[in-house]
Amino acid sequence: MLFTSWSFIFFIILLTCVNYILPVRYRWILFLISSLFFYALSGVAGLIYLSAAALIIWVLALVIEDRRNKGRDELKTVLADASSDEKKAYRQKIKKSIGVVRFAGILMLVALLFVFKYSKSLFPSLFDEGSGDGFLRFAVPMGISFYTLSAIGYLADVSNNKYGAEKNPLKLALYLSFFPALVQGPIARFGELKDTLFEPAPFDGGKVMEAALRIAWGYFKKIIVADRIAAAVAVLQKDPGTYTGMYSFLLIVFYTVQIYADFTGGIDITIGTAKALGVRLAENFDHPFFSRTLDEYWRRWHMSMGSWFRDYVFYPVSASKALLKVAKASRKRLGDGFGRRLPVYISTLLTWALTGIWHGTTVNFLVWGLLNGIFIIIGTEIDPLSRKLHERHEGLRDNTAFRFLQASRTVALTAALRLFDLAPDPMTTVKRFISIFTVSNAGEVLGGGFSALGLSVYDLVIIAAGIAVMFAVSFMNRDMSVYEKLRKRGFIYPVIAFALLIVAVIIFGAYGTGYDASQFIYNQF
Amino acid sequence: MMLEKLTELLKGLHPEADIENEDGLIDNGILNSFDIVTIIAEVDDMFDVKIPASEIVPENFNSVRALSDLVERISEEF
């Protein structure tokens, strides 16, 4: 069931009504049933794997907790009078055994993700794709990239004693499968989600109105802007040989607009749907295009993914025995400056390589990830220079033009890097990019090239207007949500805004002949 | 003893900061991720205590006192 379908809209309206009839303590059961139903529509086989993943982490987390409790008891009773060295050795032993269980669980989850997501492109000959060559045949289970990360996070957190293990396996299954967040995130942490998910907020008309407005806003971005520009992106993407020069530049711009509208719109629908049910999901974007640096951008775009990789890859790698060894050696040999930065750079690159691989099975995603890491490192290395600049020119930091320049630089850099998404072979992307500076075909593009891409003047006007509205709303949203601002003026204003959005989506939405509301881009990751 | 050693370590990293009295080492941007890795490596060396990744949160590194509490707590827990 696509988010952009009538059946989905009907589904959430029905769910919202049933939800508030039920007593609060039973609502999570409704969420679980509807999530499993939502999931089953995309294939029952996927459901089996999801249940297996839930079962694995449920058992292993309980085993971890049991070991910790037994260890505590032992220290208080049998080892109460032992020497501190003996106690220390015992603690180490328990720690190790918890670590083994955690490692086994994570290995299993990663192995399953690997088999489902990556084996097809790595070993194509094993698969039967109608040719009769291979013997394997399965579809990638929906949302597997997202709930694998959630599951790993849960296991790591329980083993680190951040919270206790969940006793009820069905509640854990709900955490992994909660349908609004299943297909494209945000990747919510169990510790953050459990209270609001298992004991959702009581009915509040204002909140439901806010949720409806948020969902309508998501449709506005997705159906008016993203889907309208999608056809042109597809044409440009398919034929890198023909569409060079100015077309490559257009592809960068169009794809940036598309992915912003598509992904943030999808998350608006996700957060809105959860809110309608009384569940609070954390925000996934914080005005990313206003970021001054690439590092800052990654703290404001797809925040739940960035923070997941920070907490479960970057920090553990940085604090690992191997890296601490490197840290000591490099400080000794390379000194307190670069010698101290090198180990962090190593974990930065490793984290970004994994982030890239997580996004897709082809080598372009790895290149994209590594380049992000490299640019962040370059940013850190030239930091002393920029500090000097700011010392010399005080007030520059808060200068509006300078801030605009910095934000534009970040947008340009991320947009250019994003080009790697669009071709499996990184060399295609490099050639595409270079052609912007070597092929001069601006005259051709402006003299009729747009209609070849399937974009009429009407389309361009709507897209431009859509971008202007998105920018204006984003700007107004900086200090307080637009909903709050409207609500303060009176209850009627959010209602009017909602009606206007719906009318706009109906009139200006991209539904051509044979229109098929397209998937969200992030569903494929 | 532990507090003194940690204070010395942080002073070595940032001689310009008022380590004893500062309670916003992270919040005020004095310590960065490079310092954190150095601190974890040094703490491992000095006290044979491994600070796990899950404890890398601002609250644990904002002051030398918080850091010393953290190291003490970790050596008692699992």
Side-chain angles (χ1 to χ4, degrees):
Chain A
M1 185 169 13
L2 290 172
F3 276 13
T4 47
S5 63
W6 285 109
S7 43
F8 182 77
I9 294 171
F10 179 72
F11 183 61
I12 50 180
I13 292 174
L14 182 76
L15 262 183
T16 307
C17 296
V18 176
N19 182 51
Y20 291 111
I21 296 169
L22 285 174
V24 172
R25 66 177 185 282
Y26 294 129
R27 286 183 191 161
W28 71 270
I29 299 173
L30 176 72
F31 300 162
L32 179 63
I33 292 169
S34 48
S35 296
L36 296 183
F37 170 73
F38 183 86
Y39 204 97
L41 288 180
S42 82
V44 178
L47 203 56
I48 297 172
Y49 169 58
L50 176 76
S51 316
L55 209 61
I56 292 172
I57 62 165
W58 175 66
V59 171
L60 294 184
L62 286 175
V63 170
I64 287 170
E65 195 166 73
D66 184 55
R67 292 209 174 160
R68 178 177 293 122
N69 288 339
K70 276 197 182 136
R72 275 188 190 141
D73 288 349
E74 196 93 338
L75 276 173
K76 273 187 209 146
T77 54
V78 183
L79 291 167
D81 302 320
S83 71
S84 67
D85 277 350
E86 276 174 316
K87 281 183 182 168
K88 195 172 178 184
Y90 181 74
R91 277 197 196 98
Q92 293 292 351
K93 199 179 114 192
I94 297 287
K95 253 187 190 171
K96 212 171 213 171
S97 87
I98 288 175
V100 168
V101 177
R102 175 183 57 200
F103 180 74
I106 291 175
L107 194 68
M108 235 182 295
L109 291 165
V110 171
L112 284 168
L113 176 66
F114 186 84
V115 168
F116 280 113
K117 191 169 165 178
Y118 301 97
S119 58
K120 233 179 239 186
S121 53
L122 289 177
F123 313 107
S125 61
L126 292 178
F127 287 83
D128 174 14
E129 299 287 355
S131 59
D133 294 339
F135 56 92
L136 290 172
R137 181 186 277 185
F138 53 74
V140 183
M142 186 169 77
I144 186 170
S145 304
F146 290 95
Y147 65 73
T148 299
L149 297 193
S150 302
I152 291 173
Y154 169 74
L155 212 51
D157 286 353
V158 171
S159 78
N160 288 321
N161 207 9
K162 279 207 162 171
Y163 41 77
E166 174 56 53
K167 303 287 181 291
N168 188 338
L170 294 177
K171 284 190 172 173
L172 212 50
L174 170 60
Y175 164 62
L176 293 186
S177 67
F178 185 50
F179 77 92
L182 180 63
V183 286
Q184 59 181 0
I187 305 153
R189 308 287 175 88
F190 185 74
E192 269 170 28
L193 198 60
K194 63 178 167 55
D195 291 339
T196 167
L197 191 58
F198 304 143
E199 266 177 68
F203 181 79
D204 175 343
K207 286 264 183 267
V208 174
M209 185 64 236
E210 187 180 359
L213 193 63
R214 187 82 190 252
I215 293 170
W217 178 231
Y219 283 129
F220 178 96
K221 290 175 177 170
K222 167 71 177 161
I223 298 175
I224 295 183
V225 182
D227 285 355
R228 191 169 289 277
I229 214 166
V233 171
V235 171
L236 290 167
Q237 178 187 4
K238 254 183 221 144
D239 195 352
T242 311
Y243 295 113
T244 54
M246 177 89 169
Y247 284 114
S248 299
F249 178 74
L250 279 183
L251 179 59
I252 293 182
V253 176
F254 284 0
Y255 185 54
T256 294
V257 172
Q258 187 199 358
I259 199 158
Y260 177 84
D262 186 282
F263 193 17
T264 65
I267 291 293
D268 286 331
I269 298 171
T270 294
I271 292 179
T273 303
K275 195 182 270 265
L277 298 170
V279 176
R280 206 181 58 78
L281 288 178
E283 291 295 336
N284 209 26
F285 297 94
D286 176 17
H287 309 86
F289 290 167
F290 295 144
S291 306
R292 288 164 177 255
T293 64
L294 185 60
D295 193 34
E296 185 185 340
Y297 170 85
W298 280 112
R299 276 178 268 127
R300 301 173 66 164
W301 168 277
H302 204 352
M303 291 145 73
S304 63
M305 180 199 74
S307 71
W308 192 95
F309 277 95
R310 184 195 66 212
D311 290 352
Y312 301 112
V313 180
F314 179 74
Y315 284 154
V317 170
S318 301
S320 69
K321 263 190 194 140
L323 208 83
L324 293 183
K325 253 186 205 165
V326 173
K328 277 172 207 162
S330 82
R331 254 186 98 182
K332 215 177 259 172
R333 295 205 176 165
L334 302 168
D336 269 355
F338 188 71
R340 239 156 45 76
R341 298 198 294 276
L342 181 67
V344 177
Y345 291 164
I346 293 173
S347 37
T348 301
L349 284 179
L350 196 84
T351 305
W352 276 104
L354 280 178
T355 308
I357 294 170
W358 177 81
H359 274 82
T361 60
T362 42
V363 69
N364 55 318
F365 289 105
L366 177 64
V367 172
W368 169 85
L370 286 173
L371 283 174
N372 269 290
I374 288 169
F375 277 106
I376 288 173
I377 291 172
I378 292 173
T380 314
E381 281 297 303
I382 60 174
D383 192 48
L385 282 178
S386 90
R387 267 177 209 221
K388 264 189 197 148
L389 178 80
H390 287 295
E391 270 166 28
R392 218 171 277 172
H393 305 278
E394 271 182 39
L396 191 61
R397 204 181 288 275
D398 301 314
N399 181 296
T400 312
F402 185 72
R403 289 180 69 159
F404 179 76
L405 209 68
Q406 282 186 309
S408 311
R409 181 190 57 183
T410 311
V411 170
L413 179 61
T414 54
L417 287 175
R418 210 176 284 119
L419 204 53
F420 281 101
D421 281 10
L422 297 176
D425 175 18
M427 274 323 285
T428 308
T429 302
V430 173
K431 280 184 203 153
R432 221 177 218 161
F433 186 73
I434 291 174
S435 81
I436 297 175
F437 307 99
T438 56
V439 178
S440 55
N441 56 356
E444 178 200 323
V445 176
L446 297 173
F450 280 103
S451 50
L453 301 177
L455 289 175
S456 62
V457 174
Y458 175 73
D459 288 321
L460 290 173
V461 169
I462 289 181
I463 291 168
I467 293 171
V469 174
M470 288 196 301
F471 185 78
V473 169
S474 180
F475 202 73
M476 285 193 286
N477 248 337
R478 281 178 316 165
D479 49 343
M480 187 201 283
S481 81
V482 172
Y483 167 78
E484 298 281 341
K485 284 182 180 168
L486 292 171
R487 184 71 182 77
K488 278 198 169 162
R489 292 178 166 231
F491 190 73
I492 193 70
Y493 289 95
V495 178
I496 293 173
F498 176 77
L500 285 176
L501 282 174
I502 296 298
V503 170
V505 170
I506 291 169
I507 297 177
F508 302 116
Y511 326 90
T513 34
Y515 172 74
D516 170 29
S518 50
Q519 283 265 10
F520 285 85
I521 296 174
Y522 252 75
N523 296 7
Q524 68 189 324
F525 292 142
Chain B
M1 181 62 185
M2 184 187 283
L3 193 64
E4 282 157 26
K5 277 190 170 176
L6 289 172
T7 310
E8 213 167 289
L9 165 67
L10 295 188
K11 273 186 178 166
L13 293 174
H14 288 277
E16 78 289 354
D18 180 12
I19 297 296
E20 281 101 338
N21 301 312
E22 179 64 59
D23 58 0
L25 289 169
I26 301 284
D27 296 344
N28 297 334
I30 297 167
L31 295 181
N32 56 29
S33 52
F34 307 113
D35 298 321
I36 302 288
V37 172
T38 310
I39 292 169
I40 295 174
E42 292 291 331
V43 165
D44 185 27
D45 251 6
M46 289 193 283
F47 310 110
D48 192 20
V49 168
K50 265 190 64 62
I51 298 177
S54 58
E55 298 288 357
I56 306 179
V57 288
E59 301 89 89
N60 287 336
F61 289 86
N62 259 334
S63 67
V64 67
R65 166 69 62 188
L67 182 59
S68 132
D69 288 347
L70 170 73
V71 175
E72 210 148 297
R73 180 160 58 80
I74 293 172
S75 47
E76 301 286 313
E77 258 297 332
F78 37 70

